[in-house]
Amino acid sequence: MNAAATPPPRRKPVARWLRSELPQLLLMLLLLAAARDSFANHYYVPSGSMEHTLEIGDRVAVDMRAYGVRLPFTDVQLLATGKPGRGDIAIFDSPEDGVRLIKRVAAVAGDEVDLSEGRLSINGVAMQARDQADTELFQQHRARLDLAYGGGPDLHGITVPAGQVLMLGDARGNSHDGRFFGFVPASELYGRAVAVYYRRGDGFGWRKL
């Protein structure tokens, strides 16, 4: 009599699932990462350089398409979609050490800048709101300044070169910004901050910037 054939070992359900689903899962994660890198992202505010507009610990939603669509995971711009405007809060890498920063676009190409005791004038026009001494108006944006540390270095008679922007913090005396590292190429702004979606003490919400 022949011995009964040994049945083949049954494949474990987890191993079978991994073999069939893992490639699709990895592809989905890759697509999500690419979308985050090219279309939408978020930023954690690590310092008080943008107070009172942004507070330490704020989590900010960022539109990565505001100024251009980039090839995922690179700095190569595929399509120009807009230009930085005065008052935008934008994300960029520091020209000094590459650290990613968040500051306000205070002036754009061709603007003549005067900054005295932390208060900004563009082309001879003061940005200060008439009804609020520590607020500046940039068309669609309002900058809530923090001058508790003073105004920081002044600027006088400076004209922003073509293709460049001047980035400043709203806490003028507590911000390492364009007054120290110079102008930033407009093409190197990664995206525009659109809203604070989480603030310590207040929780989740949607505070438009």
Side-chain angles (χ1 to χ4, degrees), residues 48-153:
S49 69
M50 280 295 294
E51 290 179 334
H52 294 293
T53 305
L54 299 176
E55 298 180 4
I56 298 173
D58 278 355
R59 295 189 179 272
V60 179
V62 179
D63 180 2
M64 303 294 284
R65 303 169 302 168
Y67 309 128
V69 177
R70 287 179 168 81
L71 186 67
F73 316 117
T74 75
D75 292 334
V76 178
Q77 189 177 91
L78 299 176
L79 178 67
T81 56
K83 295 181 179 180
R86 293 190 206 103
D88 286 0
I89 298 176
I91 311 296
F92 63 102
D93 290 342
S94 168
E96 291 180 321
D97 53 19
V99 172
R100 192 149 292 184
L101 302 175
I102 184 167
K103 306 285 183 187
R104 189 177 296 278
V105 179
V108 297
D111 284 345
E112 186 174 332
V113 178
D114 189 271
L115 185 69
S116 181
E117 297 182 351
R119 303 186 189 280
L120 181 67
S121 294
I122 301 293
N123 301 324
V125 178
M127 297 292 102
Q128 181 177 320
R130 292 183 179 180
D131 57 336
Q132 294 178 288
D134 291 340
T135 298
E136 292 178 344
L137 301 180
F138 296 87
Q139 296 178 336
Q140 300 177 358
H141 304 287
R142 297 175 71 93
R144 297 178 55 223
L145 305 183
D146 180 1
L147 301 178
Y149 295 92

Side-chain angles (χ1 to χ4, degrees), residues 148-160:
Y149 295 92
D154 289 347
L155 295 173
H156 299 293
I158 302 296
T159 300
V160 182

